[in-house]
Amino acid sequence: MEGTLTARDKVGVQDFVLLDAHTSESAFVDNLRKRFNENLIYTYIGTLLVSVNPYQELGIYTVSQMELYQGVSFFELPPHVYAIADNAYRMMCSELNNHFILISGESGAGKTEASKKILQYFAVTCPMTESLQIARDRLLLSNPVLEAFGNAKTLRNDNSSRFGKYMDIQFDFQGIPVGGHIISYLIEKSRVVYQNQGERNFHIFYQLLAGGEAERLAHLGLERDPRLYKYLSQGHRAKESSLNDKNNWKTVSNAFSVIDFTKADLENLFGIIASVLHLGNICFEEDPQGCATVPDTHEIKWIAKLLGVCPSVLLDALTHRKIEAKTEEVICPLTPGHSVYARDAMAKAVYGRTFTWLVNKINSSLVNKDVTKKTVIGLLDIYGFEVFDKNGFEQFCINYCNEKLQQLLIERTLKAEQAEYEMEGIEWEPIQYFNNKIICDLVEERHKGIISILDEECIRPGPATDLSFLEKLEEKVGEHAHFQTRKLAGPKGRKRIGWMEFQLLHYAGEVTYCTKGFLEKNNDLLYRHLKEVLCRSSNRILRECFLVAELENRRRPPTVGTQFKNSLGSLLEMLLCKEPSYIRCIKPNDTKEPSKFDDFLIRHQIKYLGLMEHLRVRRAGFAYRRRYEHFLQRYKSLCPDTWPHWHGPPGEGVERLIKYIGYRPEEYKLGKTKIFIRFPRTLFATEDAFEFSKHQLVARIQATYKGRLGRREYVKKRQAATKLEAHWRGVLARREVQRRRWAVQIIRRFIKGFIHRHRPLCPDNEEFIVFVRKNYILNLRNHVPKNVLDKSWLRPPGILEHASDLLRKMCMRNLVRKYCHGVTDERRAMMQQKVVTSEIFRGKKEGYADSLRQPFATSRIGVSTSSLSDGILVIHVSPEDNKQKGDAVLQCEHTFEAVTKLVMLVKKENMVNVVQGSLQFYITPGKEGTIVFHTGPEEHIYKDKNGQLTVVSVRRKS
Ligand code: ADP
Ligand code: MG
């Protein structure tokens, strides 16, 4: 419930005790309107439920709604009729005591619907065994039967209950509904013979005509058309909603079969219903003596047949009256007017008593024969306060009943409040309230009350009239502060009260009653003559209803007023020993329209339902009370000490909390288990603070939650990554294992091949040998000799020695061939010269062997002379040869002969070089010297300043 404290601006408060202006009727109506406009039809006043008839289906009575309210603490959820039902049920189960739910309100306010909802709630949510299902079904199906016989269409309500109903639902120790009992109050019998414009008789008549099988109707002597029956056609609405009647007939017929009605019962019952219709159609005429006669006895015959009486006796009883003089009986004829009265009285009596029989019959089918102790929840669906333009005897009884119930409510509420204060150890503050005992006494007090005066007037010998009754009232209770008549009222009040009227000041307001018909209705006389006829009926139901003992009893039966007073007395006695819950029903408009909120009408009902008074009593002390745990649970976030958890006793937590948020001492009291808050504004301020802090909390919770989510996601990813990694490692490891296994095989094969390498080629060594071959060949590629003189060769493995030899030879041959192709002519000549040299010197001259290594260089010996006439001759030896001593410089007289001889010897003409000016020569290897040639007057050879050898010769004439 606190959940919607926040929405109070829009939808009002869910509990009227939280209204700041709790004494203002306007504030009350405003709150009701706000909620009604949002289709919130229920509101609490403490534990009392106020319900506004929505006149539309709201979808709030589903099974899931029922489940929602099951076993939930009363204030946790929005107000609902299910919460009331569940609360009563839980308390009954846990405390094993009896309860009742009092539902009151105007006609059409939704009382009967509420009681049906409660019954359905129990039917659906209570535990159930298969064998007890039948009890449950009977409880549920008793409703349509009672409604058919006791409800009618009125201007206010298409399905108006015309009787008060109290229904006990009995539960066994396990909380299973096992039986029930119904008490009916004051069925509106007058409706059988008369209906106002626009209203109808009881549903059953129309249902029988619309839905009854043709044979049944023929058997009952009925026609389908309701307009043919006087009792059905006064309201001129007889034809309306015949379709519903037909469907409802089916429901009712089905219900009859479930609640133990035999065929004979039904035959008798519908015989009575039909005979009432026939009764209505009897016409009386006046004979010359002014006595009543019945010209057409057709209807009489049907009634006689259906009720099992003699037609002539019936006719007699309807047109004559037995008057008992002291010792003898005198029979005197009736006027047509009296006959009509007698006929109607018979119809009413027959219907009224049949209804009572019906209730008893249903009760006998609901009775639970098991004698173990039962607990009960009673549902009281009873007419609310009625104030019309003209109020008669019925309104007087109804309002008296409400007065009594209001007394019960106020006393019980006060008592409950007081008990709660006491239990919580809080000082009781006396509450001023209007005690309506004074009005109850005015009506019911023995010998002095209005009912007693009325009874007296009824039995008084002599001509008693409604007027004389009024005079008696003035005489006996005229002084009473709550009683007023035109005569007693001052000149001011006179206008408002008629001559035949008296006014009572009820707790809910003034009501003026017209005394017309009071005596007759209170007497409710059925002529003895007719009673006798009915007692002798062969219809079993009637025989049970009209007992012969009644005829023999000479005492007057109690009057209607007294009967009602007595039954009300026993009802209250019954209620007093049960725990109460209350539902107050309000109807929002007179036109049965949804979403129409008639302020005037509602104010009126608020007044007559005593809601403001009830609220005042509830609010006199404290507006709000909650158990410490609940209060702390909701508001603990407002104080750092109690948030997020309070580990001490909840009461101390609450104390700490309210100290922190600054409650002033007059605003609250701390009981033993509850906190009591005096003003709604204190609670609302707390609620607003909570609303504010909630946003912060939400943000924090959200952040934490998001963090959690993120972390969870991260952990998930990490786990996934680890798994992937592990898998991948596994894959790699497996591959490595494979690789090694492969390597081991290879190595093993290699070793095996090596071991068997000397054997002829076989599978064991084949691979190895191929490998060795390949390996040797590939290696050899890098070690092939580069020239013919290179004798190196890669050493072959044993198995390849032969191949290696062949290869070496081939290779050598190839090198030699290449070499031979590459030798120049010059080199060949030189080699040939070497061969000559060998022939000359081999073995004969020392140093020859050394000279072998050097190539035979022809260029090494050259001869240079100058172009002048000197005799200088230079023989050049090879400058690269370090062992030479240098070039030989010779001087000879016969230069030409010497040079020529040399040239011829060597057969190389171009070895002579004739130079001009100077020539270069090696003094020692690497060290060069120059000889400069001049001409001069005389021959001369010397070393000049530069160390150069200078040769001067004499120029000769040629
Ligand atoms: P009462 O018994 O107080 O005279 P009913 O309970 O018969 O009134 O209600 C009169 C009509 O109002 C019902 O037939 C139904 O159409 C309507 N009604 C009453 N209560 C509700 C409800 N809670 N939801 C929807 N319609 C409702
Ligand atoms: Mg009703």
Side-chain angles (χ1 to χ4, degrees):
M1 173 165 174
E2 273 88 351
T4 43
L5 273 177
T6 45
R8 60 185 177 271
D9 290 341
K10 188 165 170 242
V11 299
V13 288
Q14 292 190 352
D15 191 336
F16 282 108
V17 296
L18 295 179
L19 275 185
D20 238 347
H22 70 277
T23 52
S24 151
E25 198 179 271
S26 306
F28 196 100
V29 176
D30 274 352
N31 192 48
L32 214 53
R33 188 190 309 106
K34 268 186 201 169
R35 297 179 62 73
F36 183 72
N37 290 341
E38 295 294 321
N39 278 342
L40 300 168
I41 60 165
Y42 294 121
T43 313
Y44 291 134
I45 306 178
T47 51
L48 176 145
L49 179 74
V50 179
S51 153
V52 185
N53 187 347
Y55 281 122
Q56 58 179 319
E57 291 308 322
L58 292 180
I60 53 173
Y61 304 109
T62 56
V63 172
S64 55
Q65 278 277 317
M66 293 184 189
E67 282 161 1
L68 185 66
Y69 278 87
Q70 219 181 333
V72 174
S73 161
F74 192 71
F75 289 107
E76 267 178 43
L77 289 170
H80 201 293
V81 65
Y82 293 157
I84 296 281
D86 190 72
N87 193 45
Y89 180 74
R90 299 283 148 208
M91 297 232 291
M92 180 196 73
C93 289
S94 62
E95 292 168 22
L96 291 179
N97 54 6
N98 298 325
H99 287 253
F100 71 87
I101 301 174
L102 195 164
I103 310 166
S104 64
E106 271 194 16
S107 176
K111 301 181 292 294
T112 307
E113 288 295 322
S115 74
K116 283 195 243 176
K117 302 285 187 276
I118 293 173
L119 205 58
Q120 277 162 2
Y121 180 78
F122 290 143
V124 172
T125 60
C126 290
M128 184 54 58
T129 62
E130 221 161 274
S131 61
L132 289 169
Q133 258 174 20
I134 185 88
R136 183 192 62 180
D137 292 348
R138 283 178 180 170
L139 273 170
L140 286 174
L141 286 173
S142 65
N143 240 335
V145 173
L146 278 182
E147 286 195 359
F149 284 81
N151 287 23
K153 177 186 164 72
T154 66
L155 288 177
R156 289 142 194 278
N157 183 353
D158 291 351
N159 182 32
S160 177
S161 327
R162 306 315 299 162
F163 65 106
K165 179 177 154 196
Y166 175 81
M167 179 182 198
D168 261 343
I169 309 162
Q170 299 164 341
F171 297 86
D172 71 359
F173 69 99
Q174 296 169 304
I176 303 176
V178 292
H181 187 80
I182 295 166
I183 304 174
S184 71
Y185 296 95
L186 206 68
I187 172 99
E188 187 191 40
K189 287 187 290 190
S190 60
R191 182 166 295 272
V192 178
V193 299
Y194 178 75
Q195 307 91 42
N196 284 326
Q197 196 70 19
E199 299 198 347
R200 295 206 318 178
N201 210 322
F202 292 100
H203 293 325
I204 188 66
F205 294 111
Y206 306 91
Q207 290 173 357
L208 174 63
L209 296 187
E213 308 77 10
E215 311 91 82
R216 188 193 288 272
L217 293 191
H219 180 71
L220 298 172
L222 296 177
E223 303 284 337
R224 280 227 188 270
D225 187 356
R227 282 172 300 185
L228 297 176
Y229 300 97
K230 275 216 191 83
Y231 282 167
L232 303 186
S233 53
Q234 293 142 324
H236 300 289
R237 281 285 182 98
K239 205 72 196 116
E240 212 170 78
S241 64
S242 57
L243 193 75
N244 265 350
D245 289 329
K246 218 172 182 169
N247 286 341
N248 288 344
W249 169 260
K250 281 186 199 139
T251 316
V252 172
S253 308
N254 173 44
F256 272 133
S257 62
V258 176
I259 41 181
D260 273 355
F261 277 67
T262 62
K263 224 172 152 202
D265 283 336
L266 291 179
E267 207 161 287
N268 288 331
L269 186 62
F270 289 113
I272 293 170
I273 297 300
S275 65
V276 169
L277 291 181
H278 286 300
L279 259 180
N281 281 2
I282 299 177
C283 294
F284 297 98
E285 280 182 6
E286 197 169 8
D287 71 358
Q289 287 81 39
C291 301
T293 58
V294 179
D296 181 0
T297 53
H298 176 75
E299 307 286 357
I300 299 268
K301 281 179 194 146
W302 270 111
I303 299 167
K305 176 179 174 258
L306 294 170
L307 299 186
V309 296
C310 170
S312 60
V313 175
L314 176 64
L315 180 62
D316 227 31
L318 282 169
T319 50
H320 294 81
R321 186 179 171 195
K322 255 186 203 167
I323 299 175
E324 290 171 38
K326 274 170 200 156
T327 49
E328 52 183 331
E329 276 183 348
V330 184
I331 297 197
C332 64
L334 293 172
T335 62
H338 279 127
S339 286
V340 168
Y341 175 81
R343 176 198 72 182
D344 288 353
M346 173 171 164
K348 287 193 278 184
V350 165
Y351 193 86
R353 293 200 190 192
T354 305
F355 185 75
T356 313
W357 175 87
L358 190 75
V359 173
N360 290 338
K361 176 80 190 165
I362 292 174
N363 279 338
S364 64
S365 101
L366 292 181
V367 81
N368 185 275
K369 292 179 187 83
D370 185 1
V371 288
T372 52
K373 193 169 175 288
K374 317 272 185 320
T375 49
V376 308
I377 294 181
L379 291 178
L380 182 61
D381 167 8
I382 202 150
Y383 12 63
F385 228 96
E386 283 189 353
V387 192
F388 302 144
D389 293 339
K390 277 259 174 287
N391 302 296
F393 181 69
E394 289 86 356
Q395 280 70 45
F396 173 74
C397 291
I398 288 171
N399 291 349
Y400 159 55
C401 166
N402 275 278
E403 199 75 62
K404 292 287 279 181
L405 292 173
Q406 175 69 9
Q407 193 184 10
L408 177 84
L409 167 68
I410 293 288
E411 273 180 12
R412 296 295 295 262
T413 312
L414 272 175
K415 223 189 216 163
E417 282 283 283
Q418 208 162 355
E420 173 146 47
Y421 281 39
E422 217 166 274
M423 214 162 66
E424 291 291 325
I426 288 182
E427 202 182 322
W428 170 247
E429 302 166 18
I431 297 170
Q432 286 301 314
Y433 72 101
F434 173 63
N435 188 347
N436 56 349
K437 182 170 183 304
I438 185 162
I439 305 168
C440 295
D441 287 348
L442 170 62
V443 177
E444 67 184 6
E445 220 176 347
R446 283 186 110 197
H447 307 304
K448 287 192 254 167
I450 295 174
I451 291 177
S452 289
I453 298 169
L454 181 61
D455 282 358
E456 251 174 57
E457 205 54 16
C458 285
I459 52 169
R460 178 169 69 89
T465 60
D466 294 327
L467 197 61
S468 69
F469 161 62
L470 186 64
E471 282 163 1
K472 269 269 160 54
L473 284 182
E474 283 172 335
E475 185 190 315
K476 293 208 167 164
V477 293
E479 301 288 295
H480 199 286
H482 291 261
F483 181 84
Q484 195 66 277
T485 62
R486 187 179 175 101
K487 208 164 100 189
L488 298 172
K492 266 191 204 161
R494 202 164 275 170
K495 279 185 202 140
R496 289 183 287 119
I497 310 175
W499 284 112
M500 290 288 284
E501 292 173 345
F502 66 93
Q503 196 180 59
L504 288 185
L505 182 57
H506 286 286
Y507 76 90
E510 294 168 350
V511 184
T512 310
Y513 300 96
C514 180
T515 53
K516 200 160 167 260
F518 262 58
L519 256 60
E520 185 202 316
K521 283 177 180 161
N522 192 40
N523 264 327
D524 191 29
L525 270 186
L526 178 64
Y527 291 142
R528 187 175 169 79
H529 207 159
L530 276 173
K531 236 186 230 175
E532 283 173 5
V533 174
L534 294 170
C535 284
R536 293 195 195 104
S537 159
S538 66
N539 184 312
R540 266 196 47 213
I541 296 178
L542 277 194
R543 270 230 307 282
E544 282 175 37
C545 291
F546 292 89
L547 300 174
V548 183
E550 199 181 317
L551 286 177
E552 286 159 3
N553 186 354
R554 291 283 149 181
R555 284 189 59 194
R556 272 181 73 92
T559 60
V560 173
T562 304
Q563 273 182 41
F564 186 63
K565 188 177 95 175
N566 293 343
S567 58
L568 203 55
S570 47
L571 171 68
L572 282 165
E573 238 169 67
M574 209 160 55
L575 298 184
L576 269 172
C577 58
K578 297 187 166 94
E579 293 301 317
S581 307
Y582 307 96
I583 300 175
R584 295 292 204 223
C585 299
I586 292 179
K587 88 177 168 187
N589 58 66
D590 260 336
T591 43
K592 304 168 193 168
E593 278 175 75
S595 316
K596 188 171 157 197
F597 193 89
D598 182 336
D599 273 28
F600 181 76
L601 194 74
I602 284 172
R603 273 173 195 270
H604 179 86
Q605 292 173 76
I606 290 173
K607 192 169 157 198
Y608 283 86
L609 287 171
L611 296 182
M612 296 309 294
E613 183 72 5
H614 182 77
L615 177 56
R616 225 168 57 74
V617 171
R618 264 314 296 258
R619 260 300 295 274
F622 297 90
Y624 177 89
R625 63 207 67 179
R626 270 304 172 276
R627 290 186 70 81
Y628 287 136
E629 307 86 54
H630 296 155
F631 188 82
L632 191 63
Q633 181 59 29
R634 183 163 180 81
Y635 297 117
K636 62 183 180 178
S637 61
L638 296 178
C639 167
D641 290 349
T642 51
W643 175 258
H645 298 295
W646 171 258
H647 296 291
E652 283 174 26
V654 170
E655 211 172 340
R656 184 82 61 89
L657 172 67
I658 57 175
K659 203 170 271 175
Y660 183 81
I661 51 181
Y663 276 18
R664 284 195 303 275
E666 70 273 17
E667 287 181 317
Y668 71 94
K669 276 226 160 65
L670 297 177
K672 284 181 188 145
T673 63
K674 289 181 184 171
I675 175 170
F676 289 72
I677 296 178
R678 197 177 292 279
F679 314 110
R681 60 171 184 274
T682 314
L683 177 70
F684 292 154
T686 313
E687 182 61 29
D688 290 341
F690 170 61
E691 195 54 27
F692 178 72
S693 84
K694 208 157 69 178
H695 289 296
Q696 292 175 325
L697 283 181
V698 164
R700 204 183 301 166
I701 290 170
Q702 218 172 32
T704 316
Y705 182 67
K706 276 186 187 161
R708 284 257 164 88
L709 277 189
R711 193 169 155 67
R712 207 181 293 164
E713 188 65 12
Y714 161 73
V715 168
K716 221 156 83 184
K717 280 185 184 165
R718 199 175 61 181
Q719 279 172 349
T722 314
K723 203 178 263 181
L724 273 177
E725 213 176 343
H727 272 283
W728 181 239
R729 282 203 190 133
V731 168
L732 286 185
R734 274 188 291 279
R735 265 190 216 169
E736 180 63 16
V737 166
Q738 256 175 1
R739 203 180 65 79
R740 289 193 183 181
R741 196 170 289 150
W742 170 81
V744 165
Q745 278 173 2
I746 295 290
I747 291 167
R748 206 175 269 158
R749 286 214 299 271
F750 189 83
I751 292 169
K752 205 171 181 184
F754 177 78
I755 293 168
H756 300 293
R757 67 189 182 281
H758 296 304
R759 283 179 32 192
L761 207 60
C762 65
D764 281 345
N765 62 7
E766 184 183 9
E767 220 174 337
F768 177 78
I769 286 170
V770 168
F771 168 77
V772 168
R773 269 185 201 151
K774 190 174 155 193
N775 203 29
Y776 177 72
I777 300 289
L778 284 176
N779 256 341
L780 190 60
R781 194 172 55 173
N782 300 324
H783 294 93
V784 187
K786 297 283 187 299
N787 54 54
V788 278
L789 292 179
D790 186 357
K791 296 291 182 242
S792 68
W793 188 254
L794 194 64
R795 217 184 120 202
I799 45 165
L800 282 182
E801 265 168 8
H802 179 61
S804 168
D805 266 356
L806 289 175
L807 273 173
R808 185 156 67 168
K809 278 180 189 151
M810 268 165 63
C811 180
M812 195 46 75
R813 224 176 275 151
N814 193 29
L815 279 177
V816 168
R817 198 168 63 89
K818 249 194 212 164
Y819 181 81
C820 290
H821 280 290
V823 175
T824 56
D825 292 343
E826 200 178 332
R827 184 156 170 83
R828 186 174 293 123
M830 185 193 77
M831 290 188 48
Q832 282 166 354
Q833 283 169 3
K834 279 263 188 190
V835 173
V836 175
T837 311
S838 163
E839 280 167 8
I840 299 170
F841 293 109
R842 193 169 170 190
K844 298 174 195 161
K845 185 166 171 67
E846 270 181 35
Y848 169 74
D850 291 340
S851 79
L852 262 183
R853 251 175 264 132
Q854 288 153 22
F856 203 92
T858 40
S859 59
R860 199 176 306 164
I861 308 266
V863 179
S864 299
T865 60
S866 82
S867 54
L868 300 179
S869 59
D870 55 85
I872 294 297
L873 172 73
V874 176
I875 300 171
H876 300 283
V877 292
S878 171
E880 296 101 55
D881 189 356
N882 290 335
K883 292 186 181 130
Q884 296 295 331
K885 295 241 166 74
D887 297 341
V889 181
L890 306 176
Q891 188 177 31
C892 70
E893 288 298 314
H894 308 286
T895 320
F896 298 108
E897 288 86 357
V899 171
T900 307
K901 269 268 184 210
L902 256 172
V903 168
M904 282 175 66
L905 215 66
V906 186
K907 290 181 188 158
K908 213 173 173 187
E909 287 95 29
N910 57 355
M911 70 181 285
V912 179
N913 199 14
V914 181
V915 298
Q916 308 254 343
S918 69
L919 70 84
Q920 300 285 328
F921 73 104
Y922 284 99
I923 303 167
T924 55
K927 189 182 172 188
E928 270 184 316
T930 310
I931 304 174
V932 185
F933 298 97
H934 290 292
T935 51
E938 59 187 77
E939 289 180 358
H940 190 39
I941 297 174
Y942 65 94
K943 253 187 189 173
D944 69 5
K945 307 183 259 196
N946 298 334
Q948 288 174 353
L949 194 63
T950 308
V951 179
V952 185
S953 58
V954 180
R955 186 165 298 267
R956 299 196 185 163
K957 307 258 179 2
S958 46

